[in-house]
Structures are given as C-alpha cells and as structure tokens.
Amino acid sequence: MEQILAIVESIPAGRVTTYGSIADVVEGATARSVGHALRTDGHAVPWWRVVTASGRPAPGAEHAAYERFLEEKTPVDTADDGTYSVDVAAAIWHIPSSPSLSAGRSGAVRAEDETGGATSTRTRQTRERQEMIEPRLGGRCTR
C-alpha cells in the first residue's frame, strides 16, 4: 500500500500513469488492488493522475478529475457526447526503475530479463510457471 501511494505521489503534474503500470512494479499488486488502495487511502495523493489504460479516471470521480486535469494542463480528448479521456500517449509517465520504486512489499526488486531490461515480478512469475508446466505438457505450452 505504501509503495503504491509513493508511486502516485511521484507522478508529475500534467502527467498520468495507469493502474496496470503501477501493478506491474509493485509485487503482488493487481490493477484492481491499486484502485482499491487509492479509493481507501489515496485522498492525500494525486489520485486523479492514475487512469485506466484507455485514459478514463476512476468511476464516480470523473468531474473532480477533469477539473484537476484542466488545472494541470493534462492533455484530454473530449468526445461529442461530453465524455472525455486523457490522451495517454501524450501524458504517460513511466515509472522509474529505481530500487525505491521497484521494490515490492516483500522487498523484492524487479529482475532483469535476458536483454538486461527490467521485468515486472508478474512477468517473471509467469515465465517461472510456464517453465514448471511445460515439461509436464511435453513442450506443448502455447503461451
């Protein structure tokens, strides 16, 4: 929970990140658990800077988020029907891969893949599961 809030607090004004992006760097987190953390304890951090992958703010908080987006000059696309979404491509803030932001709740730090790039804990765990299952399936793992 503390790590989620620390990441949200570090998002610069006018920029956004997604629930899934935060979940990718916080061990054991899912996009839903990030949303839950913000709903229950996120009132002191800039919660509106976390959006869905399609750029929508938290359900029920659209108006409050829109006002903040305008104040911060966050790029927003408005539809003819009055709905809006953040232009994620223009406003995305990528979470830095520093030990302070990439350590999970248990203190585990994101691993590096074969190319030297950082991989999320979820990606690493999926690979480990596939490696465990594949021999039992005779090399027929299709994922």
Side-chain angles (χ1 to χ4, degrees):
M1 174 87 68
E2 295 83 23
Q3 187 182 8
I4 292 170
L5 298 178
I7 290 170
V8 174
E9 200 164 34
S10 65
I11 303 169
R15 306 294 293 277
V16 298
T17 196
T18 64
Y19 295 100
S21 294
I22 294 173
D24 284 344
V25 298
V26 177
E27 186 173 335
T30 64
R32 285 181 186 250
S33 66
V34 171
H36 179 73
L38 291 176
R39 185 173 53 252
T40 56
D41 294 317
H43 56 277
V45 298
W47 54 265
W48 60 92
R49 295 180 189 156
V50 182
V51 296
T52 65
S54 62
R56 301 286 300 149
E62 293 91 345
H63 182 71
Y66 187 71
E67 295 299 319
R68 304 257 173 115
F69 292 143
L70 292 178
E71 290 172 12
E72 296 181 354
K73 297 179 176 45
T74 306
V76 174
D77 294 325
T78 306
D80 292 336
D81 65 359
T83 60
Y84 75 93
S85 63
V86 171
D87 182 352
V88 176
I92 193 69
W93 176 75
H94 297 284
I95 301 167
S97 57
S98 68
S100 64
L101 291 181
S102 61
R105 286 185 206 138
S106 65
V109 177
R110 290 169 50 186
E112 290 195 0
D113 65 12
E114 301 79 36
T115 64
T119 59
S120 70
T121 300
R122 183 182 305 157
T123 301
R124 190 182 79 253
Q125 289 171 339
T126 300
R127 284 184 191 153
E128 289 170 357
R129 273 190 236 110
Q130 287 173 344
E131 290 168 1
M132 221 171 48
I133 293 170
E134 200 165 284
R136 288 187 274 165
L137 296 176
R140 296 187 316 259
C141 190
T142 59
R143 260 189 168 230

